[in-house]
DNA sequence: CATCATTTGTGCGTATGTATC
DNA sequence: CGATACATACGCACAAATGAT
């Protein structure tokens, strides 16, 4: 029995029965009977679907319909970027430019259209960035929240998820791969400028602010590190070394 | 041994050895020894990596490093959209709006910056659309080529791939799920308008043209079909019925 | 063209770890 | 604590596909 068919038939089973995220799937023996395949085949099909985020397997408990998040996309993008990076490609830069290209376009549509509620939330986030910079703490999570809150105003959950996925993939790779000596105060100032520009409703200025922000990150990215992860004298610590 | 670990260690093996796309991976028995796991566990890990597009398995031949394409992302997006659609969500509309939001932003950056070579290629594509409309042939592939050629000017291979992935996911779902009675002449006219706007260098007009184009598709999408795929009287044919 | 070795695909049996009741 | 149900893991055997001899 073709393993490819098994995956398709399990997917069909989910849509046919209108199973929502979190709904329990038939147990492995039941799937074996239903699909007419052995345990190995069923398990391999489930593993593949799990990798795609379509099903969720909880040890000793059961299999369930997955959260349908874009987590697999993050994994795939991140690995693709890491592999390309070590092969000497500028894959990390490309990922950053992808974010820049998309976000510059989106922020101009947002300018002047954000409700006061979101604006004040963004203000609070930038304020928190200031405090974190003062304490020398990392402000990655706050940066993530800022971008997420900003594009929430576009009122498209899928779009928000995609942007967050791009953010996650980029920062995961950046954290594992390169040393970025960045000045937190510059980051704070740039986010405040983005916020001010959006609040003022000036599309051009908002685009410019986003471009400045990404340009700053890009500059810190220039001296890419492509040392061999097998080389014990390497300067960075990759997640793939564990 | 956690199956999750196996996947990570195979990924680490790929980056450590700098294996490019298409390079052969160790055979299953070799991986069993290298990873100290049973064949089933190794195979399940490989299946998951295959689903993510990281490895490619060819029956009776061997396993290879995958093409690192975004094909898995298309699969995931498409399934997520289909499942959401049958559950009564407007997931297909959201996917279309995602494309619209991203493309409106990008096309304004393109206006007036496309080399004559790309412009003439786009002209040829629109001409081909006209001929196909005349013959009553489908112009989906030409539409795909138009959008791909358009954003090639942004000079970011990753961005191009992502946009093509969005296109593929949307059209796969639309083709399988809903009946869209669309007028090919309108489509032709709108693409010509996009091309003219980009050629003239008018960013505003280019954005407007893209918005018109997507607006037309959105209008044809309104009467969503959520009939039960198990219902033999259904009007549409889903890919998940096979 | 046929045969062979190699490699992946499939199926079965069994033992172990883990969660729920 | 035991009982039960389930996922996890292992090992073996055979089938099917591919490329080379």
């Amino acid at each position: 029995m073709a393993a490819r068919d098994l995956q398709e038939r399990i997917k069909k089973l989910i849509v046919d029965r209108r199973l929502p995220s979190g709904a329990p799937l038939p147990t492995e023996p039941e799937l074996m009977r239903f699909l007419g395949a052995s345990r190995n085949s069923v398990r391999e099909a489930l593993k593949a679907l799990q990798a795609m985020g379509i099903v969720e397997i909880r040890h000793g408990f059961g299999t369930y319909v997955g959260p349908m998040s874009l987590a697999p996309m993050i994994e795939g993008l991140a690995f693709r970027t890491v592999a390309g990076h070590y092969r000497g490609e500028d894959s990390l830069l490309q990922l950053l430019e992808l974010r820049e290209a998309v976000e510059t376009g989106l922020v101009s549509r947002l300018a002047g259209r954000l409700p006061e509620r979101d604006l004040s939330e963004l203000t609070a986030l930038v304020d928190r960035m200031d405090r974190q910079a003062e304490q020398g703490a990392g402000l990655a999570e706050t940066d993530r929240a800022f971008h997420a809150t900003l594009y929430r105003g576009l009122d498209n959950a899928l779009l928000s998820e995609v942007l967050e996925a791009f953010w996650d993939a980029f920062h995961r790779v950046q954290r594992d791969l390169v040393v970025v000596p960045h000045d937190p105060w510059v980051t704070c100032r740039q986010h405040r400028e983005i916020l001010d520009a959006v609040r003022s409703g000036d599309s051009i200025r908002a685009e410019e602010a986003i471009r400045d922000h990404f340009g700053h990150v890009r500059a810190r990215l220039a001296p890419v590190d492509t040392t061999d992860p097998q080389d014990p004298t390497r300067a960075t610590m990759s997640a793939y070394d564990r």
Side-chain angles (χ1 to χ4, degrees), chain A residues 40-89:
Chain A
N40 269 340
S41 305
V42 171
R43 281 184 57 74
E44 285 179 10
L46 286 176
K47 271 283 172 189
L49 292 177
Q50 182 188 33
M52 295 192 277
I54 291 175
V55 307
E56 190 180 358
I57 306 178
R58 275 190 274 174
H59 188 117
F61 197 44
T63 55
Y64 300 83
V65 178
M68 307 271 180
S69 78
L70 297 180
M73 180 177 124
I74 300 173
E75 280 295 320
L77 257 185
F79 179 79
R80 176 196 161 111
T81 306
V82 169
H85 177 83
Y86 278 123
R87 252 186 270 117
E89 303 166 11

Side-chain angles (χ1 to χ4, degrees), chain A residues 26-233:
Chain A
T27 66
E28 285 183 353
E30 283 175 323
L31 280 177
M32 287 168 58
R33 283 193 301 275
F34 181 74
L35 301 170
S38 77
R39 193 176 326 234
N40 269 340
S41 305
V42 171
R43 281 184 57 74
E44 285 179 10
L46 286 176
K47 271 283 172 189
L49 292 177
Q50 182 188 33
M52 295 192 277
I54 291 175
V55 307
E56 190 180 358
I57 306 178
R58 275 190 274 174
H59 188 117
F61 197 44
T63 55
Y64 300 83
V65 178
M68 307 271 180
S69 78
L70 297 180
M73 180 177 124
I74 300 173
E75 280 295 320
L77 257 185
F79 179 79
R80 176 196 161 111
T81 306
V82 169
H85 177 83
Y86 278 123
R87 252 186 270 117
E89 303 166 11
D90 59 347
S91 55
L92 186 53
L93 181 62
Q94 279 214 346
L95 182 53
L96 182 71
E97 286 180 343
L98 164 67
R99 292 187 54 215
E100 177 176 352
V102 174
E103 294 202 17
T104 48
L106 295 180
V107 80
S108 72
R109 299 184 62 190
L110 275 173
R113 295 189 183 183
L114 237 49
E116 185 52 40
R117 194 180 152 282
D118 286 349
L119 287 171
S120 62
E121 197 169 328
L122 288 169
T123 307
L125 284 170
V126 179
D127 289 344
R128 199 167 94 195
M129 271 193 186
D130 272 334
R131 288 196 301 278
Q132 287 171 329
E134 214 156 337
Q135 299 168 5
L139 27 79
E141 261 319 306
T142 314
D143 176 80
R144 186 183 193 278
F146 182 91
H147 287 259
T149 307
L150 185 59
Y151 299 112
R152 198 176 53 195
L154 290 167
D155 201 41
N156 184 321
L158 178 60
L159 173 55
S160 299
E161 273 191 82
V162 168
L163 288 174
E164 285 192 53
F166 289 162
W167 191 98
D168 286 341
F170 177 79
H171 280 258
R172 257 196 40 184
V173 178
Q174 187 192 45
R175 170 169 47 78
D176 292 343
L177 233 50
V178 298
V179 191
V180 278
H182 69 295
D183 182 349
W185 294 109
V186 176
T187 307
C188 288
R189 186 163 46 73
Q190 290 181 332
H191 279 86
R192 202 173 287 280
E193 167 62 15
I194 295 172
L195 172 56
D196 287 347
V198 169
R199 193 198 301 271
S200 75
D202 186 341
S203 296
I204 309 291
R205 189 177 146 209
E207 263 192 59
E208 200 68 32
I210 286 277
R211 235 192 300 275
D212 272 357
H213 174 37
F214 278 99
H216 179 246
V217 182
R218 195 193 302 119
R220 307 279 148 171
L221 215 63
V224 283
D225 175 10
T226 52
T227 49
D228 192 325
Q230 286 176 326
D231 179 0
T233 67

